[in-house]
Amino acid sequence: MFKLLKLLHLVGVAAFVGSVFGHIVSGLTVPWSDDAMAVLTARGGILDITNMVTLPGLAVAVATGFAMMVLKRIDPRRAPWLAVHAGLGLLIVANALLLVVPAGRIMAAEATRLGGTAFDALVYLDALKVEAIAGGVNLVMAVIAMALGIAKPAWRRYRTRRLSNA
């Protein structure tokens, strides 16, 4: 059971991180254009990837990570690397749900108005900034979490020995 959970955890992480890179590439190809259809298509595709791959991948990664801790009866207080790893996972979820996804939805909604009088460029650009910064922070946190999951550092307190003056 543990190996299945670990496999699903890796699939969830791969889906999340992989879709983020796809999101970045899509966002860079048409960040701003006079071609309303190109922007609308790019933003719609990014929103679809977010809903069908990024968020489900993140949910699978977090759920299986928690399940592995429960199954192995690992107390994160006894494994500080795991506490940080899990904490980063929860921060990634919060950042995604509170900042990245809403910004993406705002941009997708504004993209539908592109070329019309209702389009608000400042709203679109503000959402783009939030998505870029919060998304970048999520990517950095994900890389740190992955590194911790691979290295599993001991992080013990080391005491210096006092040499006696014998």
Side-chain angles (χ1 to χ4, degrees), residues 136-156:
V137 168
N138 258 6
L139 193 54
V140 169
M141 288 192 295
V143 168
I144 293 169
M146 288 185 292
L148 287 172
I150 293 166
K152 297 176 176 68
W155 286 356
R156 293 190 179 116

Side-chain angles (χ1 to χ4, degrees), residues 2-59:
F2 183 79
K3 288 187 179 195
L4 175 61
L5 287 172
K6 195 170 197 172
L7 174 65
L8 291 174
H9 188 69
L10 292 173
V11 168
V13 170
F16 172 71
V17 174
S19 67
V20 168
F21 284 115
H23 182 125
I24 291 168
V25 170
S26 296
L28 290 175
T29 55
V30 189
W32 192 262
S33 172
D34 290 335
D35 183 356
M37 189 52 74
V39 175
L40 181 59
T41 302
R43 292 313 316 176
I46 290 170
L47 189 59
D48 288 345
I49 291 168
T50 299
N51 291 330
M52 292 187 282
V53 181
T54 310
L55 293 177
L58 184 55

Side-chain angles (χ1 to χ4, degrees), residues 9-166:
H9 188 69
L10 292 173
V11 168
V13 170
F16 172 71
V17 174
S19 67
V20 168
F21 284 115
H23 182 125
I24 291 168
V25 170
S26 296
L28 290 175
T29 55
V30 189
W32 192 262
S33 172
D34 290 335
D35 183 356
M37 189 52 74
V39 175
L40 181 59
T41 302
R43 292 313 316 176
I46 290 170
L47 189 59
D48 288 345
I49 291 168
T50 299
N51 291 330
M52 292 187 282
V53 181
T54 310
L55 293 177
L58 184 55
V60 167
V62 170
T64 55
F66 180 74
M68 285 188 290
M69 281 188 345
V70 170
L71 186 66
K72 287 284 187 170
R73 296 184 180 151
I74 299 172
D75 184 351
R77 293 173 296 185
R78 293 182 172 253
W81 73 268
L82 183 58
V84 175
H85 180 80
L88 285 170
L90 294 177
L91 286 173
I92 290 167
V93 169
N95 190 27
L97 295 178
L98 297 174
L99 297 173
V100 180
V101 172
R105 290 192 174 133
I106 289 168
M107 285 186 292
E110 282 302 315
T112 63
R113 298 191 265 288
L114 191 62
T117 56
F119 177 72
D120 190 338
L122 292 177
V123 169
Y124 186 91
L125 290 174
D126 284 345
L128 183 63
K129 287 177 196 172
V130 169
E131 183 189 55
I133 293 168
V137 168
N138 258 6
L139 193 54
V140 169
M141 288 192 295
V143 168
I144 293 169
M146 288 185 292
L148 287 172
I150 293 166
K152 297 176 176 68
W155 286 356
R156 293 190 179 116
R157 293 185 186 187
Y158 293 99
R159 295 183 183 167
T160 55
R161 283 186 166 174
R162 197 170 198 175
L163 297 176
S164 62
N165 293 339

